[in-house]
Amino acid sequence: MAFNIGNQQGGVVNNVAGNQTVHDGQSAVFTADGQEVRGLVRELRASIERTALPPAVEPEVRAELDSLDEEVARPEPDREAVAGRLGRITRLLSSAGALATASTGLIGPLGALAGWLGALGQPILRAIAG
């Protein structure tokens, strides 16, 4: 049997010819180098700019995005700081109703950044899934 798979991205991907048994679950850590993470923040910013936000929320979201951008530009970003900023952005977007009507353009970069954070990103993933 042969697998011809061009490109895959996901938390856990199994390609099995036959049967597979998994004991005690599976987990994965999303890894991305600094350039990819900065690209995800740029993608998130572009998606947010295309989203109509209430005037009361927009300045807060932009300030958090600016801080997030600065943090991921460091050679070794502080993932806890990134998680805090991304969590605040997610809560602000949720309170503005933007996540309820969001397209994959907004959910995609939020989810990818949360995945990069590993366990720190789990609350963000739950928020965008709900």
Side-chain angles (χ1 to χ4, degrees):
M1 173 165 280
F3 291 105
N4 296 308
I5 301 167
N7 190 4
Q8 289 181 319
Q9 180 177 347
V12 175
V13 177
N14 295 299
N15 296 313
V16 179
N19 297 325
Q20 175 180 2
T21 302
V22 177
H23 297 279
D24 298 324
Q26 295 181 305
S27 64
V29 176
F30 182 86
T31 58
D33 66 26
Q35 186 62 40
E36 290 176 62
V37 172
R38 288 189 297 273
L40 289 170
V41 172
R42 283 191 301 275
E43 187 179 334
L44 177 61
R45 183 183 297 275
S47 294
I48 288 172
E49 288 175 358
R50 291 188 299 270
T51 303
L53 296 176
V57 172
E58 188 174 356
E60 277 187 86
V61 172
R62 288 188 186 282
E64 290 296 340
L65 275 170
D66 291 343
S67 295
L68 179 63
D69 200 23
E70 287 175 23
E71 187 61 46
V72 299
R74 294 177 177 213
E76 292 292 326
D78 178 342
R79 288 181 189 232
E80 286 186 20
V82 170
R85 289 179 178 97
L86 195 60
R88 284 187 289 280
I89 290 167
T90 303
R91 283 189 298 279
L92 288 165
L93 293 173
S94 181
S95 72
L99 293 182
T101 59
S103 67
T104 56
L106 187 56
I107 300 298
L110 278 172
L113 286 164
W116 173 75
L117 290 168
L120 293 169
Q122 291 303 308
I124 297 160
L125 290 171
R126 283 192 295 275
I128 62 178

